[in-house]
Amino acid sequence: MPNILVYYNEAEKYAAILKEHGYTSVKTAKTLDEALVHLPGTEIILGWNFPSHLLAQPEAATVQWVQSTGAGIDNLVADRTIPEKIVLTRIVDQFGGMISEYVFAYLLLHCKDIPRLLAAQANREWDKFSPGSLEGKVIGVAGLGSIGVEIVKKARAFHMKVHGLSLSGKNADIVDRHFTAADWKTFVSELDYLVLTLPLTSETRHVINRDILLSMKSNACLVNVGRGQLIVESDLIEVLKEKQHQTAVLDVFEKEPLDKENPLWSLSNVFITPHLSGLSKIEEVGRFFIDNLRRFEQGASLQGIVNRERGY
Amino acid sequence: MPNILVYYNEAEKYAAILKEHGYTSVKTAKTLDEALVHLPGTEIILGWNFPSHLLAQPEAATVQWVQSTGAGIDNLVADRTIPEKIVLTRIVDQFGGMISEYVFAYLLLHCKDIPRLLAAQANREWDKFSPGSLEGKVIGVAGLGSIGVEIVKKARAFHMKVHGLSLSGKNADIVDRHFTAADWKTFVSELDYLVLTLPLTSETRHVINRDILLSMKSNACLVNVGRGQLIVESDLIEVLKEKQHQTAVLDVFEKEPLDKENPLWSLSNVFITPHLSGLSKIEEVGRFFIDNLRRFEQGASLQGIVNRERGY
């Protein structure tokens, strides 16, 4: 029976799921101090934003595996002090549903001009106009992992043209046109909607800069559900001020929570949401972790193992 | 070469399309008086809200066929003075795309609580919460014609459970559970989302009354893209005041435009749009009509022929 430490603000919920499945050697922590108390003897950590520097300390000598409750793992990967012997896993194949729903909520909000309809209702105005359609529009999905794939599937249901960019060439066959990292400018220039689902790595950091943003169509819409640092935020702010018909839907930011003073808040062509597009459901993450625990006990290969060189 | 009268507020756009396709004997009218001037000799009418009582007058003696630019034909069917020899056709298979986009725009707006996100942005608030999902939710589509079918297809892409009600039993095989007009209460009682795409007939008029609305789940969402008269509007207003967690998305109303004094405007659990979910694109209706014209000239059966007994 492995010793498990859950590090999470609702840690007891995971503890309850684990107990249901017969894992009784479970401790919970919500702060660095609590984590430090419980680390000795811990073999497996399930956590979100675990203070990774602890993993290099003697208290963590028995830790073999850290399972993140999220898909983005750039914080852990960035910490080069984490001993090589510790396996890192992230959640895969769990966020595609939620994030693709978020993406289409905003694509439809944009093309149907729902804000105009809400404003008209507030004024009791019968403001009849001819809304746009997603049909035939070109969506470009940057990042064709499990999240990108689910966005592509929904784009098909809306009869969109689907372009895709993946660094590895993965899933090139599911899109109508495929681009690689060498083609960013061509890729974005033909899009009505650009959706970023890329992991944050040295290769993708600040890949969306002024030059790329100016290559986009003047009425294009950018959706970022990946990581804030994929975009040079100051460039984005500048370009959105210049190109009033471009729109940005941002769920992630260079610094979160977004600063009260950040000019993004007040731009009329920006939709801001507080990094909630891919919030994991505790039951689903729990199921993923239980499955991985069974694999761990059987000595089988874990799901979602992070390649620290690649960065995800 | 048939004599065609176009009755429409942008009639010249249709006239241009017709001329492009070689139909030069085309007149246009925007008012009853203009229609009356051009009726003599007219064989075919393409129009929206054509003053149908004119069709019984001697000036209309040569009219053989009226093509509506819309899908809902209840006004024309209700006019029993229209001579039996005049064929009525409506647009079919053209609105499914636009209307299903509208439906999913609002289903996603509802389940992701976009209004809360817009309000938080206006206040520069980082209001992180866990949005809902359409996945696994039950949608009931009442009316399984070409519009209902397209909604069912998109519901599948969102991994919803799909129930359907059709009067004729048509397309019963495309839904997980099928209901008929005898089962309204059972049908609605299990739904998270009820979408009305029914035609307005004597059988469907006021089918959604207080009794049905009270049979719905307390947090259900009703979307009406059919006709306002499918619902007893005063019952809906009452129930929405009582059941604050029920939501209604209304694109159609008993009387349009919706009166400034109508209490629906100010209910916080109602979304009002000005009958624009299925606005036809002139090019698409034009294409449908040209195709029907070719059939007419060849003596072939027209698309979208209205069965006046059935009511659509």
Side-chain angles (χ1 to χ4, degrees):
Chain A
M1 184 73 63
N3 295 316
I4 301 169
L5 172 61
V6 181
Y7 183 85
Y8 195 71
N9 62 349
E10 298 183 296
E12 47 297 323
K13 291 196 181 169
Y14 283 119
I17 293 174
L18 287 164
K19 273 170 198 159
E20 257 176 49
H21 286 81
Y23 295 95
T24 49
S25 178
V26 177
K27 291 184 169 137
T28 62
K30 295 176 188 188
T31 64
L32 189 145
D33 289 341
E34 289 174 15
L36 209 45
V37 170
H38 294 309
L39 258 184
T42 291
E43 285 143 354
I44 302 168
I45 297 171
L46 170 69
W48 179 241
N49 281 342
F50 185 80
S52 57
H53 64 278
L54 296 184
L55 295 170
Q57 297 188 15
E59 288 88 343
T62 52
V63 174
Q64 299 175 45
W65 165 32
V66 177
Q67 168 75 58
S68 168
T69 62
I73 197 103
D74 39 283
N75 289 341
L76 282 176
V77 171
D79 185 347
R80 297 291 174 177
T81 71
I82 302 176
E84 282 298 324
K85 72 169 173 84
I86 297 181
V87 176
L88 306 180
T89 56
R90 64 192 191 101
I91 304 289
V92 288
D93 301 330
Q94 294 267 324
F95 298 97
M98 286 301 268
I99 293 182
S100 62
E101 286 186 8
Y102 172 96
V103 167
F104 279 89
Y106 279 94
L107 261 55
L108 289 162
L109 179 111
H110 177 265
C111 91
K112 297 296 175 198
D113 206 349
I114 304 279
R116 175 171 169 177
L117 291 165
L118 295 174
Q121 178 173 356
N123 296 321
R124 298 184 174 228
E125 261 175 45
W126 188 262
D127 173 23
K128 193 159 182 160
F129 64 94
S130 187
S133 170
L134 293 182
E135 199 165 322
K137 294 287 194 322
V138 188
I139 184 174
V141 183
L144 292 171
S146 64
I147 296 166
V149 166
E150 193 56 38
I151 294 169
V152 169
K153 282 187 196 161
K154 292 203 168 71
R156 296 293 180 197
F158 285 93
H159 311 294
M160 303 181 82
K161 290 178 189 136
V162 185
H163 295 186
L165 183 148
S166 58
L167 305 173
S168 60
K170 187 165 83 168
N171 286 324
D173 54 323
I174 67 166
V175 294
D176 301 326
R177 284 184 63 193
H178 183 262
F179 299 80
T180 64
D183 314 313
W184 266 102
K185 277 177 82 162
T186 325
F187 171 61
V188 303
S189 68
E190 298 177 13
L191 303 177
D192 298 300
Y193 295 96
L194 168 60
V195 184
L196 306 178
T197 75
L198 293 163
L200 180 64
T201 69
S202 55
E203 217 183 333
T204 63
R205 184 179 305 272
H206 287 169
V207 74
I208 306 294
N209 55 27
R210 181 174 174 85
D211 192 31
I212 294 291
L213 291 165
L214 290 178
S215 302
M216 292 178 72
K217 283 190 187 177
S218 62
N219 62 351
C221 175
L222 162 68
V223 183
N224 190 5
V225 289
R227 279 288 182 264
Q229 295 92 331
L230 298 172
I231 303 177
V232 182
E233 208 165 270
S234 54
D235 285 4
L236 179 65
I237 293 168
E238 261 184 46
V239 171
L240 287 168
K241 282 180 180 170
E242 293 163 24
K243 301 176 86 172
Q244 299 279 333
H245 295 289
Q246 260 188 23
T247 306
V249 178
L250 306 172
D251 189 46
V252 289
F253 304 88
E254 290 211 293
K255 185 167 158 280
E256 296 173 10
L258 189 64
D259 201 275
K260 286 265 186 208
E261 311 308 317
N262 194 302
L264 282 172
W265 287 111
S266 57
L267 294 181
S268 62
N269 46 350
V270 175
F271 295 96
I272 289 173
T273 61
H275 201 155
L276 50 62
S277 67
L279 278 191
S280 43
K281 292 184 192 146
I282 285 183
E283 310 78 55
E284 286 175 10
V285 170
R287 215 175 299 137
F288 186 95
F289 182 54
I290 299 281
D291 176 63
N292 249 354
L293 269 175
R294 300 260 152 85
R295 290 166 185 266
F296 179 84
E297 292 177 296
Q298 291 159 12
S301 169
L302 300 182
Q303 296 283 312
I305 288 185
V306 173
N307 177 332
R308 297 199 213 178
E309 280 318 304
R310 190 182 59 175
Y312 60 94
Chain B
M1 184 73 63
N3 295 316
I4 302 170
L5 172 61
V6 181
Y7 183 86
Y8 196 70
N9 61 348
E10 299 182 296
E12 47 295 327
K13 292 196 180 168
Y14 283 119
I17 293 174
L18 287 164
K19 273 168 198 160
E20 257 176 50
H21 286 82
Y23 295 94
T24 50
S25 180
V26 177
K27 291 183 171 140
T28 61
K30 294 177 187 186
T31 64
L32 188 146
D33 289 342
E34 288 175 16
L36 209 46
V37 169
H38 294 309
L39 258 184
T42 291
E43 285 143 354
I44 301 168
I45 297 171
L46 170 69
W48 179 240
N49 280 343
F50 186 80
S52 58
H53 64 280
L54 296 183
L55 296 170
Q57 297 187 15
E59 288 87 345
T62 52
V63 175
Q64 298 175 44
W65 164 31
V66 177
Q67 168 76 59
S68 168
T69 61
I73 197 102
D74 37 285
N75 289 341
L76 281 176
V77 170
D79 185 347
R80 297 290 175 177
T81 72
I82 302 176
E84 282 298 324
K85 71 167 173 87
I86 298 181
V87 175
L88 306 180
T89 55
R90 65 193 191 101
I91 305 289
V92 288
D93 302 330
Q94 294 268 324
F95 298 96
M98 287 301 268
I99 292 183
S100 62
E101 285 187 8
Y102 171 98
V103 167
F104 280 89
Y106 280 94
L107 260 55
L108 289 163
L109 177 112
H110 177 264
C111 91
K112 298 295 177 199
D113 206 348
I114 304 280
R116 173 171 171 177
L117 291 165
L118 296 174
Q121 178 173 355
N123 295 322
R124 298 185 173 226
E125 261 175 44
W126 188 263
D127 173 24
K128 192 159 183 157
F129 64 93
S130 188
S133 170
L134 293 182
E135 199 166 322
K137 292 288 192 324
V138 188
I139 184 175
V141 182
L144 292 172
S146 64
I147 295 166
V149 166
E150 193 55 39
I151 294 170
V152 169
K153 281 186 196 160
K154 292 202 168 71
R156 296 291 180 197
F158 284 93
H159 311 294
M160 303 181 80
K161 291 179 187 135
V162 185
H163 295 186
L165 182 147
S166 58
L167 306 172
S168 61
K170 187 165 83 168
N171 286 324
D173 55 322
I174 67 167
V175 294
D176 301 326
R177 283 183 65 193
H178 183 264
F179 299 80
T180 64
D183 313 314
W184 267 102
K185 277 177 82 162
T186 324
F187 172 61
V188 303
S189 68
E190 297 176 12
L191 303 177
D192 298 300
Y193 295 96
L194 167 60
V195 184
L196 306 177
T197 76
L198 292 162
L200 181 64
T201 68
S202 54
E203 218 183 335
T204 64
R205 183 179 304 271
H206 287 169
V207 74
I208 306 294
N209 54 27
R210 181 174 174 85
D211 192 31
I212 295 291
L213 291 165
L214 289 178
S215 303
M216 293 178 71
K217 284 189 188 177
S218 62
N219 62 352
C221 175
L222 161 68
V223 182
N224 190 4
V225 289
R227 279 289 182 262
Q229 294 92 330
L230 298 173
I231 302 177
V232 182
E233 209 165 88
S234 54
D235 285 5
L236 178 64
I237 293 169
E238 260 184 46
V239 171
L240 287 169
K241 282 181 180 169
E242 293 163 23
K243 299 174 86 173
Q244 300 278 332
H245 295 290
Q246 259 188 22
T247 305
V249 177
L250 306 172
D251 189 46
V252 288
F253 303 88
E254 289 209 294
K255 186 167 159 280
E256 295 174 9
L258 188 64
D259 201 275
K260 286 264 188 209
E261 311 308 316
N262 194 302
L264 283 172
W265 286 111
S266 58
L267 295 180
S268 63
N269 46 349
V270 174
F271 295 96
I272 290 173
T273 60
H275 201 154
L276 50 61
S277 67
L279 278 192
S280 42
K281 291 183 193 150
I282 285 183
E283 310 77 57
E284 285 175 10
V285 170
R287 213 175 300 137
F288 185 95
F289 182 54
I290 299 282
D291 176 65
N292 250 355
L293 269 175
R294 300 260 151 85
R295 290 167 184 265
F296 179 82
E297 292 177 298
Q298 292 160 12
S301 168
L302 300 181
Q303 297 281 313
I305 289 185
V306 174
N307 176 332
R308 297 201 214 176
E309 281 318 305
R310 192 181 57 176
Y312 60 94

